[in-house]
Structures are given as C-alpha cells and as structure tokens.
Amino acid sequence: MTQPPREQGVVVAAFGRQYEVRTLVGDTLLCVPRAKRSIYACGDEVEVGLTDAGHGVLEKLHPRRSLLHRADAFREKLIAANATQVVIVVATEPSFSDELISRCLCAAEAQDMAALIVLNKADLSDRLEAAHHILAPFRDLGYPIVELSAQAGAEALRPHLEEHTSILVGQSGMGKSTLTNALVPGAGAATREISTSLDSGKHTTTFARLYALDGYSRLIDSPGLQAFGLAHLTPAAIEHGFREFRPYFGQCRFRDCQHLAEPGCALQEAASGGAISARRLGLFLQIRTENEATRRLARGH
Ligand SMILES: Nc1nc2c(ncn2[C@@H]2O[C@H](COP(=O)(O)OP(=O)(O)OP(=O)(O)O)[C@@H](O)[C@H]2O)c(=O)[nH]1
Ligand SMILES: [Mg+2]
Ligand SMILES: [Zn+2]
C-alpha cells in the first residue's frame, strides 16, 4: 500500500479530539490524532497525513518552543503551544482576581515567555481607579500594562503584539474575543458562529483558536478560566515564576530553608521589610504546597 501524502502545518484550533490544521500551503484540514491519547494543543506544529478531501490524521508533533498549560491534582489542560507572549486580559468589570494574574505570570515566567497585562473596558471609567489599585503591584514588578477599550481602541495593543505569538488569557467576560475581533479582520464570524450554537448567543469561547496577524505576528484567543492550577511545575519553576523573589533564593541562613518561619529567611525578611509583597509570598508558598500535595498523590502516599 502506498503511504498517503503528508503535509506540514500548525494546529489553529483544538476542540476535544478534533483539530483544525492550517497547512504551510494554506489549506485548512479537520484532523484527528493517530494515537489514542491526544497530545496536541493549539499552536502545535505538526505533520499531517492527508486522508479525504479536507481531512487528515495527525501523525507527528514537532518539538515545542513553549507550552502553556494548567493542571490540578486530577486534570491537566494544554492551553497553547509555541506562544512567545502571554497577554493577561482583565477589565474594569466584571471584577478580577490578582491571584489569577500571579498564577498566569508564574506559568509564563516558568516557560520564559514574555508577559503583559491588558486592562480592558477603560470606557467604564468609574471603575478604573479600583482596577488601577489592584494592578499597581504588577506595574511595580515591571510588567507592562496596556489600558484600552477593546470596543473603541484595540489598536493600542497592536504594537505590543509585533513579532510575537501572543495568547490572550483571563477570566470569562474580560473581552478577549472582543479584542481578537477588533484586531483580526474577519475573526468575528468564526467565533460567533460556534458560540451561538453552543451557548445560546452568549459570547463564550469554548476552545483556543490561533489567528494570523500582519507579518510574523499571531494571536491566540482562549476560553475564559476561573482557576490556574500549577501542579505540573517543578519547585525550581515555581521559584523562577516569581521574578522579584529570584535575588533572595540562596540567601537564607539555612540552605534547606522552607521560607516559612525560619530565622534568617531572606524572603520572609524581605516581605516584612516591604521589599517584596507578603501577599505574593503567601501565594508562592500556597502554590508550592499544592504542588507537593499533587506529587504525593501521584506517588500514592
Ligand atoms: N464596555 C465595554 N464592554 C466590552 C469591552 N470589550 C468587551 N466588552 C463586553 O464584554 C463582554 C464579554 O466580552 P468577550 O469578548 O466575550 O469576553 P471573553 O473574555 O472572550 O469571554 P470568554 O470567551 O467567556 O472567556 C461582551 O458583552 C463585550 O461586548 C469594552 O472595551 N468596553
Ligand atoms: Mg471569548
Ligand atoms: Zn527562606
């Protein structure tokens, strides 16, 4: 039997066990994985075996340059592969969680991806001050914050997307898809069609989709998230994930310091002196505890 022809492509949408692949020659194929266990994510570079017209089988996954995923003790979820920048979208309304921002930042830093925060719905100006208050600590850490209205001024984001594959992440209703539609001509039709059929007209994204922007830039819209489990990260990756803590690791009096209440803990001292945020240190310790619990569970004791 002759082998079916093969094409190279990129996974532009991942829904369940089906994948939409854009081939290098510009065809769009609906694909299923060859293997039982589905390992692919939006943004993956793949080799596809062509079957029927418009259909293919995912035969091979090319090495990833980055992978954004989240995991708790029970489930792992791939968000996107090969992105170079995480764009965390928050808004003046509905309210947003600074813990979720820190967790997204931790995941981005762990993969050495660039990170940026968008404060959307700036047109709802009476809510701006409260949002600024929550975002101030992140601005102090050096994360760029772009304030805009996706409906009236999405272009403010475009310069930050240049030369990047950016993934929009954040809670539901923050305006990720509105932003996508404003930046990608023609994107709206595709997303609206699916959301109306699945969710009676509500603009809720149910799977990640990658769009081409000008030049080499690409944008990935993703479903809203309520939690960002980091159970998959190694202890070293979690430490790397809190950028302002990096100078303090290795400076504690005891080499095996757990940074809890030990005397001479450089991190606890920095927190009580105000050099780092006690809230972020608390979250770091919490993520580390969750992570240890998950690994104990996996080992079965
Ligand atoms: N006032 C105002 N409303 C906006 C703006 N951007 C988005 N919205 C509204 O916010 C709501 C949610 O927007 P979406 O783009 O669907 O939010 P999302 O982040 O994609 O949500 P999920 O797909 O559920 O994660 C919609 O009703 C939008 O019209 C804005 O700049 N100003
Ligand atoms: Mg959406
Ligand atoms: Zn310590």
Side-chain angles (χ1 to χ4, degrees), residues 153-170:
E155 288 305 318
L157 182 59
R158 202 181 293 276
H160 298 272
L161 304 179
E162 261 171 42
E163 308 282 308
H164 272 296
T165 295
S166 302
I167 171 148
L168 303 177
V169 297

Side-chain angles (χ1 to χ4, degrees), residues 8-206:
Q8 306 299 321
V10 173
V11 174
V12 294
F15 20 88
R17 274 182 54 82
Q18 288 211 315
Y19 299 89
E20 197 177 302
V21 172
R22 182 114 176 125
T23 66
L24 292 187
V25 294
D27 294 328
T28 300
L29 302 172
L30 194 59
C31 298
V32 290
R34 164 80 62 204
K36 248 209 186 104
R37 212 171 92 81
S38 185
I39 51 163
Y40 301 93
C42 183
D44 265 330
E45 293 168 2
V46 292
E47 189 170 298
V48 179
L50 304 177
T51 51
D52 302 329
H55 289 81
V57 174
L58 295 174
E59 299 281 4
K60 190 173 164 190
L61 173 67
H62 293 300
R64 289 168 172 148
R65 293 179 296 281
S66 74
L67 178 66
L68 192 67
H69 57 151
R70 56 197 179 92
D72 59 24
F74 310 102
R75 256 164 44 101
E76 186 168 22
K77 181 120 180 71
L78 306 183
I79 303 174
N82 297 321
T84 58
Q85 173 167 263
V86 176
V87 177
I88 302 166
V89 183
V90 299
T92 48
E93 177 182 281
S95 59
F96 60 90
S97 146
D98 66 328
E99 173 178 337
L100 197 70
I101 296 177
S102 279
R103 285 173 174 272
C104 292
L105 289 172
C106 184
E109 296 279 5
Q111 290 280 304
D112 285 323
M113 298 160 83
L116 140 83
I117 298 171
V118 167
L119 173 56
N120 185 28
K121 310 193 196 182
D123 50 296
L124 305 174
S125 49
D126 55 330
R127 307 285 300 258
L128 266 176
E129 204 185 312
H132 288 162
H133 184 70
I134 301 173
L135 293 178
F138 299 104
R139 174 167 283 149
D140 293 345
L141 294 179
Y143 292 107
I145 299 176
V146 181
E147 187 172 311
L148 51 76
S149 161
Q151 285 171 343
E155 288 305 318
L157 182 59
R158 202 181 293 276
H160 298 272
L161 304 179
E162 261 171 42
E163 308 282 308
H164 272 296
T165 295
S166 302
I167 171 148
L168 303 177
V169 297
Q171 289 159 256
S172 196
M174 296 296 159
K176 299 179 293 299
S177 300
T178 308
L179 209 46
T180 303
N181 289 341
L183 292 167
V184 184
T191 45
R192 201 171 306 128
E193 198 182 294
I194 280 143
S195 60
T196 36
S197 60
L198 289 179
D199 204 347
S200 59
K202 204 166 164 271
H203 272 258
T204 301
T205 308
T206 53

